[in-house]
Amino acid sequence: MRHVVIGTAGHVDHGKTSLVYALTGVKTDRLPEERRRGITIELGFAPWHVADDVTASIIDAPGHRRLVHHMIAGASGIDLVLLVVAGDEGVMPQTREHTAACRLLGVRKAVVAVTKVDRGDRELAELAAAETEDMLADHGIENAATILCSAHSGEGIDDLRARVRREVMDLPLPDRNRRVRLSVDRVFSVKGTGTVVTGTLIEGELKVGQPLRIVGPHRTLEATTRNLQVHGEDRASVRAPTRLAVNLGGVHRDEVTRGDVVTDDAFARPQRVLDVWLQSFEPLKRGRDASVFVGTTRSTAKIQPVEKTDALTEGGMARLRLTEPLVVVGGDRFVLRGSRVDGPRGAVIGGGRVLDASPPNRRAAKREAVLHAIDDEDVEATTLALIEEVAPRSLKKRDLRSRLLLGAEPLAAEAKRLAKEKRVQVVERNAWTTAENLEALTATAVALVDAHQRQAPLDPGLPKSTLRERLTALSDAEVAEAVLQHAVGQGRMIDAREHVHTPSFRGAQADAEAAHALAHARDALAGARWQGLTENAFKVRLDIPAKRVRAVLAALVREGAAVTAGGIWFDAEAVAELEAAIVAHLRVHEVLTIAAMKDLSGLGRKQVIPLLEHFDQKKLTLRAGSDRRRGPAFPPETID
């Protein structure tokens, strides 16, 4: 069974609603004012059993010029347009405007119903049909079938139904693996049921019980699917395209509004800047304001051509800066309207499709290359252009989801292929950069390490964390880690656990001043033994700046020549002797008191307490009040 969405279009009072009634038996004018005035004000909906294997949802759109925004909302997501032209009047302003809007929204199939043929001259109706076909051809809709008919007499209705069926069967099958998306056009409450939204399901498959997101301009809500209805019939699951009513659980009626997007897409979000391919019906100067219509919502936007031009004359790449954010994903179609209602296309001044729904603020030349590749739907060129554009940062698959006209999956697959061919570099799973960027940052990293070695020869190298931080500031965390691994893998850096250094690094041995300071410090420590020395005492003895003193002391600790405790540095050999004395004491005595420690070492409290804490940290001793007992690391007795 094929299911499609058909939208009516045409000038006011050309008989759209009457024709829908003749085809379906459903009166789509549901509002009292619509019935009183005899014109459609809001979108109307009707099921249509076109044939045994074809069902359709008809969206009946208003034809009045003041209600074109409703017509555009209804046309979003339709598969085929039923263009209605009165045989006694022919093409009128809203005929042209509706046709332009449908073409801009991606509708490629049209069936023309020339109505009211029972009221006027048959030759006049045929002229109206020819005029309509010419207008459609101007919009790129060729070979549209034209049926002369009358909703009143029934003439031509069977022919119209047969032609619609033929056009429907020629439509491509929808992709069943797409995300769920429905743009809300009505919200209401049903007693005992809760919040209900209606709209056209343009993508995906929706099932009862499925979790959903309700995404609006300024907030996102979590909801569940309580029930689904298609034209009043309960369904367990529904596939696009179709008209649909969704009973939402977990949200209140007042939290949802027209224009919200119902989706299962975790990456759909409101956007304020869009890069688009824009077809213009009149010159659009840089900085011009226009109304942008996407789905069932709209915003004002400022138009900025991407190319270096003051105006778009027929079409080109443009950036739209929105006053109010809209929930948009790559590939969405939009319509632009200005303030004029005269002219050959009414107030529709252009439109097109979204190439990048979340564009970076990049140089125009690179951006233009990316957009042309996307518009051409060239996966290889787009992948390469995107990777080049974001350098020195990496291109990440997660940043592509729902953003571009081309999907994240084919772009990621292409990046992996290019990586196998060594045309791009993998920086981590699903993140890529250029070989030139990786090499340039590797050279920068080596230079940073080398500079640090010259400035701090007593250090074991540059801390990895510092190098990562500096590289991340120049690129991103993924590229920084890849640069580090690349440099080490090439042998341009040596991985020394928490530090990195160059292969030629010799530390203090290559710096006479540093070597002298280390030797002097070792002598000072050996002379002080258990008394130890503070940092200030070292500064006085070595007569070097405080920063250099700290580097010397750190080097002594790393090489095992010194032990630090409580801000005092002790000679490591002397501390080992004291440790042996403590072990011997605790083999004989149950506890080691502070007084006993003073007797063993001849030290005062200033040194005793830090040393005891040092042995506690080694788990040689275990604190019990102010005394010490044998700790978990106390050596067992040996039997000779």
Side-chain angles (χ1 to χ4, degrees):
M1 175 70 71
R2 293 296 303 271
H3 194 96
V4 296
V5 179
I6 299 171
T8 68
H11 201 74
V12 64
D13 202 31
H14 274 209
K16 296 185 294 299
T17 302
S18 297
L19 184 62
V20 172
Y21 179 68
L23 290 168
T24 68
V26 176
K27 293 184 177 181
T28 56
D29 283 346
R30 53 189 171 77
L31 301 178
E33 186 179 358
E34 291 178 316
R35 294 168 182 167
R36 179 176 58 81
R37 296 174 59 185
I39 64 169
T40 300
I41 297 172
E42 269 284 3
L43 296 173
F45 310 101
W48 183 18
H49 191 69
V50 181
D52 290 343
D53 54 353
V54 181
T55 61
S57 297
I58 294 187
I59 302 175
D60 185 22
H64 196 280
R65 67 183 180 89
R66 296 186 182 276
L67 300 171
V68 173
H69 59 286
H70 285 326
M71 178 271 160
I72 295 173
S76 297
I78 67 173
D79 302 291
L80 180 147
V81 60
L82 182 59
L83 183 61
V84 180
V85 180
D88 55 351
E89 289 191 319
V91 172
M92 298 290 283
Q94 264 55 70
T95 316
R96 297 183 182 278
E97 186 169 19
H98 287 194
T99 301
C102 286
R103 182 66 178 84
L104 292 167
L105 290 171
V107 180
R108 298 292 183 271
K109 290 277 188 178
V111 174
V112 179
V114 179
T115 59
K116 303 183 181 181
V117 296
D118 58 326
R119 293 189 183 182
D121 189 333
R122 185 85 179 186
E123 186 176 345
L124 190 62
E126 290 175 350
L127 287 173
E131 182 185 18
T132 305
E133 289 172 1
D134 290 342
M135 180 203 65
L136 288 171
D138 289 342
H139 283 283
I141 302 176
E142 303 283 353
N143 303 317
T146 303
I147 307 297
L148 275 62
C149 59
S150 168
H152 178 70
S153 68
E155 179 185 349
I157 296 299
D158 288 340
D159 291 339
L160 180 62
R161 180 179 284 106
R163 187 65 199 199
V164 168
R165 182 187 181 281
R166 188 185 311 172
E167 295 296 334
V168 167
M169 298 310 292
D170 286 341
L171 289 170
L173 292 171
D175 184 352
R176 294 182 177 181
N177 297 319
R178 300 293 297 268
R179 64 207 155 201
V180 169
R181 278 210 303 155
L182 177 148
S183 192
V184 175
D185 54 40
R186 290 179 64 207
V187 187
F188 53 92
S189 295
V190 176
K191 189 174 181 180
T193 299
T195 302
V196 177
V197 300
T198 66
T200 302
L201 184 66
I202 61 173
E203 288 183 314
E205 181 179 6
L206 192 52
K207 299 178 181 180
V208 172
Q210 184 173 345
L212 293 169
R213 302 170 73 236
I214 316 299
V215 188
H218 304 289
R219 54 92 186 96
T220 298
L221 305 172
E222 303 294 330
T224 55
T225 311
R226 283 181 175 171
N227 190 32
L228 300 170
Q229 282 192 351
V230 177
H231 298 297
E233 294 183 2
D234 289 344
R235 300 284 183 88
S237 65
V238 178
R239 286 177 179 157
T242 188
R243 284 291 306 176
L244 185 62
V246 186
N247 178 204
L248 297 172
V251 294
H252 190 270
R253 160 68 183 85
D254 295 336
E255 294 179 298
V256 187
T257 187
R258 180 175 185 152
D260 286 352
V261 173
V262 178
T263 183
D264 60 356
D265 184 355
F267 297 89
R269 55 182 54 87
Q271 308 290 353
R272 282 190 176 274
V273 180
L274 308 173
D275 279 354
V276 303
W277 166 255
L278 174 58
Q279 180 183 355
S280 57
F281 296 144
E282 60 183 64
L284 301 179
K285 291 184 178 180
R286 182 179 295 273
R288 174 170 177 175
D289 290 334
S291 293
V292 181
F293 295 78
V294 180
T296 58
T297 189
R298 56 179 166 170
S299 176
T300 302
K302 195 172 291 295
I303 302 170
Q304 297 177 326
V306 172
E307 299 171 348
K308 293 181 179 179
T309 179
D310 292 332
L312 291 173
T313 54
E314 294 184 357
M317 308 299 175
R319 176 160 290 189
L320 304 182
R321 296 190 179 275
L322 307 178
T323 303
E324 284 293 317
L326 298 178
V327 183
V328 179
V329 300
D332 277 353
R333 295 274 178 172
F334 65 93
V335 173
L336 290 181
R337 295 190 80 214
S339 57
R340 292 192 306 114
V341 295
D342 55 347
R345 294 180 180 83
V348 171
I349 60 175
R353 61 181 180 175
V354 177
L355 303 179
D356 191 339
S358 184
N361 189 17
R362 295 291 171 193
R363 293 192 300 274
K366 287 189 175 183
R367 186 88 288 240
E368 192 175 339
V370 170
L371 295 178
H372 277 293
I374 296 172
D375 187 52
D376 292 340
E377 299 189 33
D378 186 327
V379 177
E380 178 182 308
T382 299
T383 305
L384 289 170
L386 285 169
I387 292 173
E388 174 65 31
E389 181 186 38
V390 299
R393 296 183 297 108
S394 61
L395 179 70
K396 304 174 186 65
K397 179 181 176 181
R398 65 174 181 266
D399 294 335
L400 300 176
R401 296 191 183 279
S402 300
R403 172 186 157 190
L404 304 172
L405 169 65
L406 297 174
E409 294 300 333
L411 290 171
E414 182 63 17
K416 292 174 183 178
R417 185 187 71 81
L418 292 168
K420 288 181 180 179
E421 296 180 358
K422 307 299 182 184
R423 296 172 66 186
V424 301
Q425 295 289 325
V426 178
V427 296
E428 72 162 18
R429 185 182 180 189
N430 292 325
W432 307 271
T433 192
T434 65
E436 294 79 8
N437 181 45
L438 190 66
E439 181 56 37
L441 286 171
T442 299
T444 298
V446 172
L448 288 170
V449 173
D450 187 61
H452 181 81
Q453 291 170 174
R454 291 195 304 271
Q455 294 170 5
L458 291 168
D459 287 357
L462 181 64
K464 285 183 184 177
S465 58
T466 301
L467 182 58
R468 287 191 182 101
E469 183 180 337
R470 292 181 183 178
L471 290 173
T472 299
L474 297 173
S475 54
D476 57 32
E478 291 80 6
V479 172
E481 189 61 35
V483 167
L484 180 58
Q485 294 177 12
H486 183 65
V488 171
Q490 285 193 326
R492 297 164 71 178
M493 283 185 201
I494 303 299
D495 188 339
R497 302 186 67 180
E498 299 301 319
H499 298 76
V500 285
H501 59 77
T502 61
S504 61
F505 179 56
R506 292 168 54 213
Q509 300 174 24
D511 188 300
E513 183 182 341
H516 176 74
L518 272 175
H520 193 180
R522 290 191 196 98
D523 291 341
L525 273 178
R529 286 184 56 75
W530 296 341
Q531 290 289 334
L533 293 170
T534 64
E535 181 182 319
N536 190 57
F538 272 106
K539 183 174 180 297
V540 172
R541 292 197 181 200
L542 301 180
D543 192 24
I544 57 176
K547 185 176 181 180
R548 179 58 69 93
V549 169
R550 287 191 286 273
V552 168
L553 296 177
L556 291 174
V557 172
R558 282 195 303 272
E559 69 180 29
V563 171
T564 180
I568 303 174
W569 279 260
F570 302 92
D571 179 63
E573 290 185 5
V575 172
E577 292 175 17
L578 183 58
E579 182 177 325
I582 291 172
V583 169
H585 178 87
L586 286 174
R587 290 203 193 282
V588 177
H589 305 282
E590 186 175 343
V591 298
L592 172 67
T593 64
I594 291 176
M597 178 66 171
K598 288 180 179 180
D599 291 338
L600 282 174
S601 61
L603 299 173
R605 190 177 184 87
K606 179 181 177 181
Q607 289 83 14
V608 165
I609 297 302
L611 285 168
L612 283 174
E613 291 175 349
H614 167 71
F615 294 128
D616 291 344
Q617 288 180 354
K618 287 187 64 176
K619 300 190 183 302
L620 178 75
T621 56
L622 186 65
R623 186 169 181 172
S626 60
D627 298 333
R628 299 301 192 275
R629 298 179 180 274
R630 295 183 184 185
F634 191 85
E637 294 189 51
T638 59
I639 301 174
D640 295 333

